[in-house]
Amino acid sequence: EVETVRRSLESLVGLVIRPRVHRADVVRGRLREGRLLDLHRLGKQLAIVTEAQAFCVQLGMSGQMLVGPVSEAEDHVHVRWQVEDGRTLRFRDPRRFGGISVHATMEDLRRARWSSLGPDALGVRAPVLEARLRGRRALKAALLDQQVLAGVGNIYADEALFRARLDPHREASALEPEEVRRLASSIRAVLRASIGAGGSTLRDHRSADGRPGAYQSRHRVYGRGGHPCPSCGRALEVVRIAQRTTTFCPACQR
DNA sequence: AACACCGCCTGAGCGC
DNA sequence: TGCGCTCAGGCGGTGT
């Protein structure tokens, strides 16, 4: 979802943006006017670099970065940026699980916020994943831990584990090399397919132009507890692991 | 140091 | 129609 948002903001590169903060507790630090130079992403965090500073946007559960036309009764907009071409960029976040942190430079942002994150999940390869899972017990909890691997949330953890045919209860550090390879390629494949579909829109995710994603219709296990497994037909099971609802097929995932 | 658990927050869905 | 309840989950904090 964050990658689809990042891509949909690319038309802003090169333009001056001028911020106006409507809800101060959503922003840490002071946003300044400046020309937008670059957009970066690590895991679920989006970095926007201007001539003046670099700021990190976390969308949390319900955050949006919008530049498209303002829909009627658009509430919960906490920051607005006037774009020099007349458009308005908005940070909207009804639930306020998200936020923005401001840093002097991209290097500062990386040091302060990104140095503790694991490698980005979109490009993770088996040898790196194996090293990151070392010393970890609960497989699903490890995948959700952004310090292990950055960018996998509850939806994609369940989808990747199903595709890799791995039981979320498995001990992470005891996976066979072949299983780690399957998991790494499943994570990449699921994330790539989702980005291709514009991400999963359960309720809030939108790209900057306001369009929802379509990948939710391709979820094979997430949100489908009790339904037949798309592979073997047995009912998908719902359990709670790492305080997260977890859906898996007890027959296919071992 | 891995992991459990909590609280933050709004809106949707549900039973009555 | 409306009310109260539960649930969704990313993440940072605290406790074990």
Side-chain angles (χ1 to χ4, degrees), chain A residues 8 34 60-61 64 68 89 97 111 122-123 126 160 186 197 231 244 254:
Chain A
S8 66
M61 284 296 299
Q64 303 171 330
L89 170 66
F97 279 22
R111 199 166 29 241
L122 193 49
S186 296
S231 174
R244 292 291 173 263
R254 315 297 305 198

Side-chain angles (χ1 to χ4, degrees), chain A residues 35-181:
Chain A
R35 189 173 305 276
L36 201 158
L37 299 177
D38 238 327
L39 298 160
H40 301 287
R41 179 192 58 81
L42 178 57
K44 308 174 196 174
Q45 306 198 13
L46 172 69
I48 298 179
V49 184
T50 73
E51 313 168 300
Q53 57 192 183
F55 56 93
C56 183
V57 179
Q58 286 189 265
L59 298 176
M61 284 296 299
S62 60
Q64 303 171 330
M65 289 292 275
L66 302 166
V67 276
V70 177
S71 63
E72 49 190 289
E74 188 175 270
D75 51 3
H76 303 295
V77 173
H78 307 311
V79 182
R80 285 188 171 83
W81 290 263
Q82 189 61 50
V83 185
E84 66 172 322
D85 66 3
R87 292 182 291 170
T88 306
L89 170 66
R90 293 95 70 197
F91 173 63
R92 175 172 185 268
D93 185 14
R95 296 172 77 171
R96 272 179 282 136
F97 279 22
I100 295 174
S101 60
V102 186
H103 306 267
T105 64
M106 188 61 210
E107 288 63 42
D108 285 346
L109 187 158
R110 282 187 199 280
R111 199 166 29 241
R113 300 200 59 88
W114 287 8
S115 61
S116 59
L117 295 180
D120 190 77
L122 193 49
V124 72
R125 314 281 307 182
V128 170
L129 183 59
E130 197 235 74
R132 303 303 295 179
L133 294 179
R134 212 166 286 156
R136 286 302 194 125
R137 297 222 301 277
L139 178 55
K140 167 131 185 198
L143 291 182
L144 291 176
D145 188 336
Q146 301 301 296
Q147 302 194 41
V148 170
L149 190 64
V152 174
N154 201 38
I155 295 172
Y156 300 107
D158 280 7
E159 293 297 316
L161 286 167
F162 175 78
R163 191 183 170 105
R165 306 192 309 280
L166 291 172
D167 188 320
H169 300 96
R170 286 284 297 276
E171 181 176 339
S173 52
L175 294 184
E176 302 292 337
E178 163 59 19
E179 295 175 322
V180 177
R181 284 196 289 275

